[in-house]
Amino acid sequence: MAELMENQVFMAFTTYAAIVVLKMVLMGPLTAYFRITRGSFANEEDVSGKSEEQKKKLLRTHPDVERVRRCHLNDLENVVPFVLVGLLYALTGPELSTALLHFRIFTGCRIFHTIAYVSVLPQPSRGLSYIVGMLVIISMAYRVLSAVLLL
């Protein structure tokens, strides 16, 4: 473990992985914020103590809440593969500059994707950030498979 902590590529990976995981985790409180400010709750217990009429108004979906939820789901679909493939990639011994390029592009894409999704920026901004992020994961996976298959 001490050797890994001295490896610059591994340290860069842990830094960028922590950033995107933290961003993904913060989507939960952002969803809660949108639920509270938009008065849109999903569960009966979230509106306990309210009259039946108030419950009907509060137990509903809201487009803004659903947008943040979809953004969070998209993070789950992309950040988890990045962390798994990125870890394997870091262990293949890539050049630091190449690894940093992969990690930084993915992290930037995920942050921009969230801004584009929540702020409702016009397409293709969100779509391009998603595609570029996926290409980074594919590129790292290719390196991992190439390293393993050449052994």
Side-chain angles (χ1 to χ4, degrees):
M1 183 70 161
E3 290 175 19
L4 278 179
M5 298 312 279
E6 294 173 10
N7 181 313
Q8 289 183 316
V9 171
F10 185 76
M11 292 302 295
F13 166 71
T14 58
T15 300
Y16 289 100
I19 290 168
V20 293
V21 167
L22 179 61
K23 190 212 81 59
M24 180 179 68
V25 167
L26 291 175
M27 293 303 293
L30 185 62
T31 302
Y33 169 78
F34 272 77
R35 282 195 182 286
I36 292 166
T37 60
R38 304 313 192 264
S40 173
F41 299 93
N43 302 303
E44 198 60 49
E45 63 271 14
D46 297 338
V47 293
S48 63
K50 305 285 185 190
S51 70
E52 288 304 314
E53 186 176 312
Q54 288 175 314
K55 284 181 183 181
K56 286 180 184 176
K57 288 181 183 176
L58 295 173
L59 286 173
R60 63 184 178 93
T61 60
H62 189 281
D64 294 344
V65 175
E66 292 306 307
R67 176 171 286 282
V68 175
R69 286 184 67 242
R70 287 190 307 270
C71 184
H72 193 184
L73 287 173
N74 193 277
D75 271 351
L76 288 168
E77 296 168 357
N78 289 273
V79 171
V80 172
F82 170 77
V83 170
L84 295 173
V85 173
L87 175 60
L88 298 174
Y89 172 77
L91 296 175
T92 66
E95 290 291 323
L96 178 61
S97 60
T98 305
L100 283 171
L101 188 64
H102 280 91
F103 303 153
R104 288 174 178 166
I105 289 174
F106 183 83
T107 302
C109 283
R110 290 318 304 168
I111 291 169
F112 181 76
H113 182 272
T114 298
I115 292 167
Y117 217 141
V118 175
S119 301
V120 196
L121 296 181
Q123 283 288 27
S125 57
R126 190 180 82 238
L128 287 174
S129 64
Y130 169 81
I131 290 168
V132 172
M134 288 303 296
L135 290 173
V136 168
I137 294 172
I138 291 167
S139 174
M140 291 189 305
Y142 177 80
R143 163 69 188 230
V144 170
L145 292 172
S146 295
V148 170
L149 295 175
L150 293 176
L151 287 178

